[in-house]
Amino acid sequence: MQVYADNAATTKMSKAAIEAMLPYFDKTYGNPSSLHTPGQEAKEALEDARARIAGCIGCEPREIYFTSGGSEADNQAIRSAAYYGARKGKKHIISTAFEHHAVLHTLEKLEKEGFEVTLLDVKTNHNITARQVRDAIREDTCLVSVVYGNNEIGSLLPIAEIGEVCKQAGVPFHTDAVQAVGHVAINVKQENIDLLSLSAHKFHGPRGAGVLYARRGFPLTNLIEGGAQERGKRAGTENLPAIMGMAAALEEACANLEDNQKKVTALRDKLVAGLSKIPHCAMNGDPDHRLPGIVSFCFEGIEGESLLLLLDAQGIYASSGSACTSGSLDPSHVLLAIGRVHDVAHGSLRLSLSHYNTEEEIDYILETVPQVVSLLRNMSPVWRDLQNGVRQYIL
Ligand SMILES: *Cc1c(COP(=O)(O)O)cnc(C)c1O
């Protein structure tokens, strides 16, 4: 059996999304900026996609800016709010310690440019509260930027409450909603969101297409200079096939949101219940407020990388929170941020599900993971020390 359980990394494209793209490669292939008929047909399709995407998140079409994906949208949202604040003498930004690197690394760059960043603590419940945000807001705060749902551990943040706090304080609010859009119901107006990032390949659309939603009138900073595309805020000929695929995938995800949520949540709960039976493990993430599809565990006495390789050999495709693949020996900043010590954080496993997963696949994972964990523990000197009482168990 082969089980793809890495949907937080990327998803398989839906048939509807693939079909929606095809005509824009060789039939309606004009440049939307061209004045001739094929160009105008492409322009019409582009604006239609914009309106449909806007409908899915509750904003106006003119508030949608197409980008190359979630990372670009995060970068542009944060820099826009930062530079807008700086023009008014405000250079303080609030975020969390468990953001995606697209956010954290942008904030690090801004710190070097003289901005001050407060990262909210996420140790309590592996989440933050709106109260923490309110207490951190200062006179000179120019932006609150928090992830909507965390990509490694699945915590779902109290976005509507944070939106209310930001609105009361008059502070712009950005959310990286890349893991949430198409998976949970989102309405940017009701949740008082000024800036939101989304990415097509996290909801069964194509790679390389995303959106920055910016509330009407919000002054955006260009990351890419050039032509007048996207109301002059994002130059470059539009990736029309990908945008059409993104619109189709999002509409499909939103139309089936409740059914998919119900199905994926049931699979996830079964997975969590089964994995929790493994001795000396702990689930990561807020136990009560979660994205439907993301499951993260730490197993004491093993290395996440070895676990992944053995699972791969059994046809289970998952991910670990640790960053060894990227050449660093440090464990995931997210797992450290929620308070896992290095040894424990190294033994992490993330399984991220979609509605394409089946109950049989969950059964197979639940049969395989405990076996592989035992196998690795039996070979581990750390596990032997734990068993002999030379080391103390943490979990
Ligand atoms: C995947 C992801 C991103 C990056 O999106 P890309 O489209 O791959 O650039 C940003 N934030 C979160 C939370 C993500 O999961």
Side-chain angles (χ1 to χ4, degrees), residues 8-9 68-72 74 100 102 147 149 151 176 178-179 199 201-202:
S68 66
S71 299
E72 186 189 329
D74 282 342
H100 190 274
V147 69
N151 52 303
D176 172 348
V178 172
Q179 290 293 338
S199 177
H201 76 102
K202 303 292 177 75

Side-chain angles (χ1 to χ4, degrees), residues 56-122:
C56 292
I57 61 167
C59 70
E60 296 170 32
R62 57 149 69 188
E63 296 174 311
I64 296 287
Y65 297 83
F66 292 119
T67 69
S68 66
S71 299
E72 186 189 329
D74 282 342
N75 275 258
Q76 191 171 12
I78 292 167
R79 284 196 184 272
S80 296
Y83 297 149
Y84 178 50
R87 292 201 289 276
K88 299 184 291 179
K90 298 183 175 190
K91 299 187 83 172
H92 174 239
I93 300 171
I94 298 168
S95 188
T96 79
F98 66 2
E99 296 299 309
H100 190 274
H101 280 143
V103 169
L104 281 183
H105 290 168
T106 303
L107 294 176
E108 283 167 18
K109 278 276 179 72
L110 286 171
E111 278 182 318
K112 294 200 180 95
E113 294 174 28
F115 288 84
E116 194 185 330
V117 176
T118 300
L119 295 182
L120 299 175
D121 187 281
V122 291

Side-chain angles (χ1 to χ4, degrees), residues 234-252:
R234 203 285 187 178
T237 304
E238 302 85 347
N239 185 354
L240 191 57
I243 289 168
M244 300 314 286
M246 169 161 64
L250 186 56
E251 274 190 327
E252 191 183 25

Side-chain angles (χ1 to χ4, degrees), residues 83-244:
Y83 297 149
Y84 178 50
R87 292 201 289 276
K88 299 184 291 179
K90 298 183 175 190
K91 299 187 83 172
H92 174 239
I93 300 171
I94 298 168
S95 188
T96 79
F98 66 2
E99 296 299 309
H100 190 274
H101 280 143
V103 169
L104 281 183
H105 290 168
T106 303
L107 294 176
E108 283 167 18
K109 278 276 179 72
L110 286 171
E111 278 182 318
K112 294 200 180 95
E113 294 174 28
F115 288 84
E116 194 185 330
V117 176
T118 300
L119 295 182
L120 299 175
D121 187 281
V122 291
K123 288 193 182 73
T124 310
N125 294 328
H126 302 176
N127 207 336
I128 61 161
T129 61
R131 175 69 195 263
Q132 275 175 281
V133 175
R134 199 179 68 197
D135 290 347
I137 289 178
R138 314 190 311 210
E139 279 289 297
D140 62 341
T141 303
C142 61
L143 170 68
V144 169
S145 175
V146 303
V147 69
Y148 201 112
N150 180 277
N151 52 303
E152 277 188 41
I153 58 172
S155 299
L156 202 51
L157 278 66
I159 293 299
E161 287 173 48
I162 295 168
E164 186 58 37
V165 163
C166 292
K167 186 183 164 192
Q168 296 295 332
V171 176
F173 177 35
H174 166 249
T175 182
D176 172 348
V178 172
Q179 290 293 338
V181 169
H183 301 279
V184 298
I186 291 179
N187 184 300
V188 292
K189 301 293 162 186
Q190 283 167 13
E191 296 167 75
N192 288 307
I193 297 165
D194 298 305
L195 299 157
L196 174 144
S197 314
L198 66 84
S199 177
H201 76 102
K202 303 292 177 75
F203 50 77
H204 308 286
R207 250 61 63 89
V211 158
L212 169 59
Y213 148 79
R215 184 176 44 73
R216 192 170 163 178
F218 197 93
L220 290 184
T221 297
N222 291 33
L223 299 185
I224 300 172
E225 303 292 347
Q229 291 92 352
E230 300 306 295
R231 303 165 60 80
K233 297 302 178 190
R234 203 285 187 178
T237 304
E238 302 85 347
N239 185 354
L240 191 57
I243 289 168
M244 300 314 286

